[in-house]
């Protein structure tokens, strides 16, 4: 069975970069009839917050990304301790005591000598007495995994064949001096215990994957299939990381982006397939093909989400917006006619209120100087309401006959006078809904 996971840290809100990882793993699992696990990486007790964990779930639920079960890493600390013990037993785990300043000096020295800035394994030469003395002076050290200095190879689901020389990578720290378990070992143990078969994540994890493959093999686990998607940039190719605070999913939701618009965009951006609005999650699952994604940085522009949102809304029937219309106290017998007018003239659901305000309260008329007398004469010919679907045609025919105007010169000044806009819905449909025509 195909089993995937999404493992966010509950230390902040989900953003579009996180979503890409979550969505890819979800689509892979669902297309194969497998399982998708939400795994909260909450081993940092100071930064992990319950409210962020709740927010992650709310964002995924809003999008329709459903998990088969939730796991928390904070409840699995005993398993990580067991794995650490096993690595010690087989001689692949060692304690190191360098301070950050000492490590920085070592890196600078290596760079000056033209060598890769990797940890020099000095801790392996320490005697037991020397370790005891350092512990007494500095406290517990960090625990590093001893890499086998060989090439690490795998076939990536997006990047193709990857080969990394382990000698060019520092032995990774898996446990901090304060005992906190770090992502690398927790992820490996979880992936092994939970039978994860496919891992999709950002290309910034490629080196991480190389070291994790060796840890998995050292612990006797089965290496899953890895794939690394491209990282998102801003529309001009700039680093997106500086803008992620403004691209939180909750902010997109509050700004009116529709779930299927966002999902349709994220399920295709960076692939060789065109971005097309999908009508359901099932359609997204059916059309997803991981090998069609490329490795080049992918430009993301939040403005691209709004045309898709508008297109999605244009296709909704009345039942899909009943709650929105009801919250505006739009009468039941008016809702169908109003939605027929409004739906193709909105970009987000927020715009519905603007159109209902126009219908109830009218608009400040826009009348060009050259049209002032014409509009005044035309409005004098407009009978009192209520109006029907035929009222606009009857009225404009009378105005045409009285003024001699026709075409755009006839219709545009009247639209602007009644709605304050030079665009909008068919006026024959809108006029019956106008309750207060200010221009009159």
């Amino acid at each position: 069975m195909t089993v995937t996971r999404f493992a966010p840290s509950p230390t902040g809100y989900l953003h579009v970069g996180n979503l890409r990882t979550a969505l890819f793993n979800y689509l892979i699992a669902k297309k194969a009839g497998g399982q998708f696990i939400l795994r909260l990486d909450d081993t940092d007790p100071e930064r992990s917050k319950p409210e962020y964990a709740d927010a992650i779930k709310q964002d995924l639920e809003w999008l329709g990304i459903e998990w088969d079960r939730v796991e928390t890493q904070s409840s699995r600390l005993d398993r990580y301790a067991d794995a650490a013990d096993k690595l010690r037993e087989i001689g692949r785990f060692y304690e190191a005591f360098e301070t950050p300043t000492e490590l920085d000096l070592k890196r600078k020295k290596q760079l000056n000598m033209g060598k890769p800035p990797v940890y020099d394994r000095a801790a392996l030469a320490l005697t037991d007495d020397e370790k005891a003395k350092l512990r007494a002076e500095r406290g517990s050290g960090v625990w590093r995994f001893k890499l086998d200095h060989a090439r690490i190879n795998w076939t990536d689901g997006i990047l193709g064949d990857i080969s990394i020389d382990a000698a060019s990578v520092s032995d990774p720290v898996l446990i901090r001096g304060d005992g906190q378990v770090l992502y690398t070992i927790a992820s490996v143990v979880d992936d092994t215990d939970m039978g994860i078969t496919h891992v999709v994540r950002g290309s910034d994890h490629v080196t991480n994957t190389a070291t994790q493959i060796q840890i998995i093999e050292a612990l006797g686990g089965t290496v899953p299939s890895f794939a690394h998607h491209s990282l998102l940039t801003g529309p001009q190719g700039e680093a997106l990381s500086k803008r992620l605070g403004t691209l939180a999913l909750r902010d997109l939701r509050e700004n009116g982006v529709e779930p299927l618009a966002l999902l349709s965009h994220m399920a295709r951006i960076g692939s060789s397939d065109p971005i097309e609005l999908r009508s359901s999650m099932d359609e997204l699952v059916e059309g997803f093909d991981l090998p069609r994604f490329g490795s080049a940085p992918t430009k993301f522009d939040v403005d691209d989400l709004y045309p898709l949102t508008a297109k999605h809304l244009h296709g909704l029937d009345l039942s899909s917006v009943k709650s929105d219309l009801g919250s505006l106290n739009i009468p039941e017998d008016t809702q169908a006619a109003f939605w027929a007018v409004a739906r193709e003239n909105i970009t987000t659901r927020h715009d519905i209120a603007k159109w209902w305000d126009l219908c109830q309260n009218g608009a400040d008329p826009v009348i060009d100087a050259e049209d002032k007398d014409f509009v005044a004469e035309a409005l004098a010919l407009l009978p009192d309401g209520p109006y029907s679907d035929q009222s606009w045609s009857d009225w404009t025919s009378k105005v045409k006959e009285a003024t001699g105007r026709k075409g755009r010169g006839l219709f545009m000044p009247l639209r602007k006078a009644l709605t304050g806009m030079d665009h909008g819905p068919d006026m024959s449909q809108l006029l019956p809904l106008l309750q207060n025509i200010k221009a009159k």
Side-chain angles (χ1 to χ4, degrees):
M1 177 189 291
T2 296
V3 183
T4 67
R5 45 76 166 180
F6 174 49
S9 298
T11 56
Y13 297 118
L14 292 184
H15 53 71
V16 290
N18 302 134
L19 171 58
R20 201 155 186 241
T21 298
L23 181 60
F24 282 21
N25 284 287
Y26 176 81
L27 294 176
I28 286 171
K30 295 309 164 185
K31 191 167 186 178
Q35 291 188 348
F36 172 72
I37 298 172
L38 173 59
R39 193 169 75 206
L40 297 173
D41 177 4
D42 58 350
T43 57
D44 185 337
E46 293 183 3
R47 296 178 62 228
S48 297
K49 305 293 182 184
E51 55 266 33
Y52 288 133
D54 291 341
I56 287 170
K57 294 175 184 176
Q58 289 166 6
D59 284 340
L60 295 179
E61 287 171 344
W62 169 63
L63 290 166
I65 296 177
E66 302 172 343
W67 51 87
D68 293 288
R69 70 177 194 266
V70 177
E71 299 281 357
T72 56
Q73 292 189 327
S74 60
S75 66
R76 294 176 47 77
L77 298 179
D78 289 348
R79 283 292 301 122
Y80 310 143
D82 291 343
D85 287 341
K86 182 173 182 179
L87 292 176
R88 292 186 189 98
E89 290 172 9
I90 62 177
R92 299 294 293 275
F93 219 22
Y94 63 95
E95 195 173 8
F97 299 89
E98 288 88 354
T99 65
T101 300
E102 289 169 343
L103 289 172
D104 189 51
L105 288 172
K106 285 186 178 187
R107 281 191 290 268
K108 289 178 178 176
K109 183 177 180 180
Q110 289 169 318
L111 287 170
N112 288 336
M113 296 171 63
K115 296 181 178 179
V118 298
Y119 180 60
D120 62 7
R121 292 182 166 178
L124 287 173
L126 295 173
T127 65
D128 289 343
D129 288 343
E130 288 171 329
K131 292 177 184 177
K133 182 179 178 182
L134 286 167
R135 281 193 204 99
E137 294 173 352
R138 304 182 178 186
S140 298
V142 302
W143 284 88
R144 291 181 178 269
F145 176 73
K146 184 181 178 184
L147 289 165
D148 176 11
H149 282 174
R151 296 205 73 84
I152 304 170
N153 305 295
W154 76 93
T155 299
D156 194 274
I158 293 175
L159 304 178
D161 291 336
I162 302 289
S163 181
I164 293 179
D165 183 0
S168 67
V169 181
S170 291
D171 290 342
V173 174
L174 303 189
I175 300 178
R176 293 195 331 191
D178 61 4
Q180 184 185 327
V181 175
L182 298 183
Y183 165 83
T184 307
I185 188 170
S187 181
V188 162
V189 174
D190 289 347
D191 287 347
T192 299
D193 287 357
M194 297 174 191
I196 302 300
T197 60
H198 295 72
V199 175
V200 184
R201 52 190 179 185
S203 57
D204 53 336
H205 283 284
V206 169
T207 301
N208 219 6
T209 293
T211 59
Q212 286 186 332
I213 286 174
Q214 280 207 8
I215 300 170
I216 292 169
E217 292 173 339
L219 291 172
T222 300
V223 177
S225 296
F226 286 98
H228 295 82
H229 60 69
S230 61
L231 299 182
L232 298 179
T233 72
Q236 305 304 318
E238 71 274 22
L240 199 63
S241 56
K242 295 179 181 178
R243 297 182 57 219
L244 286 179
T246 64
L247 294 175
L249 300 191
R250 60 182 32 232
D251 292 333
L252 296 179
R253 178 164 72 248
E254 289 174 4
N255 288 333
V257 172
E258 290 287 316
L260 275 171
L262 179 56
L263 292 172
S264 296
H265 190 70
M266 299 306 290
R268 287 290 183 86
I269 186 174
S271 77
S272 57
D273 293 319
I275 296 172
E276 298 173 335
L277 179 68
R278 298 301 179 185
S279 62
S280 68
M281 183 66 81
D282 288 342
E283 261 195 72
L284 286 168
V285 171
E286 181 65 28
F288 186 72
D289 188 12
L290 192 64
R292 299 182 73 83
F293 287 82
S295 59
T298 300
K299 293 180 180 179
F300 172 82
D301 189 342
V302 68
D303 290 342
D304 292 338
L305 299 176
Y306 291 100
L308 289 171
T309 288
K311 187 174 182 179
H312 171 73
L313 293 174
H314 297 172
L316 295 183
D317 59 22
L318 178 61
S319 64
S320 301
V321 292
K322 270 283 187 182
S323 61
D324 300 276
L325 305 187
S327 67
L328 295 172
N329 297 317
I330 300 177
E332 283 276 346
D333 59 359
T334 304
Q335 289 183 4
F338 171 76
W339 182 239
V341 163
R343 70 176 181 180
E344 292 194 5
N345 293 278
I346 58 175
T347 299
T348 73
R349 290 178 194 254
H350 299 324
D351 297 330
I352 297 174
K354 300 173 186 176
W355 282 102
W356 182 238
D357 181 67
L358 169 66
C359 292
Q360 280 191 303
N361 303 313
D364 292 331
V366 174
I367 303 173
D368 298 332
E370 63 270 23
D371 294 323
K372 187 175 180 181
D373 292 340
F374 164 72
V375 170
E377 184 177 356
L379 290 175
L381 296 171
L382 178 63
D384 293 331
Y387 303 110
S388 69
D389 291 349
Q390 190 63 32
S391 296
W392 172 260
S393 177
D394 291 345
W395 176 45
T396 54
S397 293
K398 289 179 182 178
V399 174
K400 178 180 179 181
E401 183 178 346
T403 66
R405 286 214 187 191
K406 57 184 178 181
R408 183 178 178 85
L410 167 66
F411 299 117
M412 185 57 69
L414 299 183
R415 175 186 288 278
K416 290 164 66 175
L418 295 183
T419 70
M421 295 179 285
D422 61 4
H423 64 280
D426 185 334
M427 288 298 296
S428 64
Q429 292 182 294
L430 179 60
L431 185 60
L433 295 167
L434 297 180
Q435 300 172 30
N436 184 2
I437 298 176
K438 290 185 178 180
K440 200 173 179 185

